[in-house]
Amino acid sequence: MLTVENLNVHYGAIHALKGISLHVEQGEIVTLIGANGAGKSTLLKTVSGLLKPSGGKIVFENQSIGGKAAQSIVKAGLSHCPEGRRVFANMTVEENLMLGAYLRKDRQGIKDDLDDVYKRFGRLLERKNQQAGTLSGGEQQMLAMGRALMARPKLLLLDEPSMGLAPLLVKEIFNIVQEINKTGTTVLLVEQNAHMALSIAHRAYVIETGQIVLSGSASELADSEEVQKAYLGG
């Protein structure tokens, strides 16, 4: 579904991604783990069109999307749920969700998807007329995920969904990620909580200083001594 080949990204003189290659098959949860500043968020931003690559290829469903405008990438079926939630604080929960469907014209489909989001995230329904800025961190994360789902993506890019959340909420968010995947959405997950990420993913890549250093099934990486030492506190 998604193929990234020899991807290079520069921030001015800084070479942030150095020849990264990876792939995501339809129906998978694939996770990227790595330390802060390793290039995980940069990779997602480049795939979703927020950053321009300086070299390499990004192909989504046989369509080259490297360097294309973000809105055309959303239209193609790829949604990005960014690090730090980025909800529109002065707009209501429902207004934030409707922005996720901005490019869609199918009124009934939008209404059905809004109902689905409210079913999946009951707390958002209770707070639908509340300003997004007044929500707790966990609720804002649910809102950011719900908004991304309103674009009806085939592939969801999720950046650090557990950041700053209490352990119980982290579990809830990861259960929801699994549910989203089971209902047919492919997921590329960037997550610092390597233990949780590997527990729900099918495959994983380890990224260090802008390069992929390890890849394999999630269970293989969870059992790897190297990964345990570096990321699982083993």
Side-chain angles (χ1 to χ4, degrees), residues 36 40-41 82-85 137-138 141 159-166 170 173-174 190-193:
N36 254 343
K40 306 184 302 294
S41 293
E83 182 184 7
R85 344 269 196 234
Q141 184 58 57
D159 197 352
E160 301 285 7
S162 80
M163 191 186 264
L165 301 185
V170 171
I173 292 289
F174 275 92
V190 156
E191 181 52 65
Q192 270 206 300
N193 186 335

Side-chain angles (χ1 to χ4, degrees), residues 135-157:
L135 301 179
S136 70
E139 288 160 354
Q140 287 191 13
Q141 184 58 57
M142 290 173 189
L143 179 55
M145 287 165 72
R147 182 180 59 192
L149 290 172
M150 285 299 293
R152 203 176 267 186
K154 299 169 188 172
L155 174 61
L156 178 62
L157 307 182

Side-chain angles (χ1 to χ4, degrees), residues 4 37 44 54 67 75 88 101 118 128 131 133 140 145 147 166 175 177-178 206 214-215 221 230:
V4 173
L44 291 198
S54 44
K75 222 172 188 166
F88 296 97
Y118 284 144
K128 70 177 188 176
Q131 283 193 329
Q140 287 191 13
M145 287 165 72
R147 182 180 59 192
N175 285 341
V177 174
Q178 281 183 296
V206 177
L214 279 173
S215 66
L221 290 197

Side-chain angles (χ1 to χ4, degrees), residues 14 34 75 81 88 105 124 129 154 175 227:
I14 297 164
K75 222 172 188 166
C81 183
F88 296 97
K105 301 282 183 280
L124 297 185
N129 298 316
K154 299 169 188 172
N175 285 341
V227 172

Side-chain angles (χ1 to χ4, degrees), residues 92-94 97 114-132 134-136 139 142-143 172:
T92 67
V93 165
E94 187 146 309
L97 291 172
L114 188 63
D115 290 343
D116 277 352
V117 167
Y118 284 144
K119 267 187 210 138
R120 205 182 286 281
F121 303 101
R123 266 177 262 187
L124 297 185
L125 178 59
E126 292 163 26
R127 291 160 172 64
K128 70 177 188 176
N129 298 316
Q130 213 170 299
Q131 283 193 329
T134 64
L135 301 179
S136 70
E139 288 160 354
M142 290 173 189
L143 179 55
E172 192 178 334

Side-chain angles (χ1 to χ4, degrees), residues 31-96:
T31 187
L32 284 170
I33 58 175
N36 254 343
K40 306 184 302 294
S41 293
T42 300
L43 177 66
L44 291 198
K45 284 178 184 165
T46 310
V47 169
S48 67
L50 297 175
L51 290 174
K52 296 277 181 277
S54 44
K57 281 202 302 200
I58 306 170
V59 178
F60 177 61
E61 292 201 317
N62 302 318
Q63 223 185 325
S64 176
I65 59 168
K68 280 197 168 176
Q71 63 267 33
S72 67
I73 292 173
V74 172
K75 222 172 188 166
L78 198 151
S79 271
H80 185 173
C81 183
E83 182 184 7
R85 344 269 196 234
R86 304 287 174 95
V87 297
F88 296 97
N90 298 326
M91 295 171 78
T92 67
V93 165
E94 187 146 309
E95 285 167 343
N96 267 272

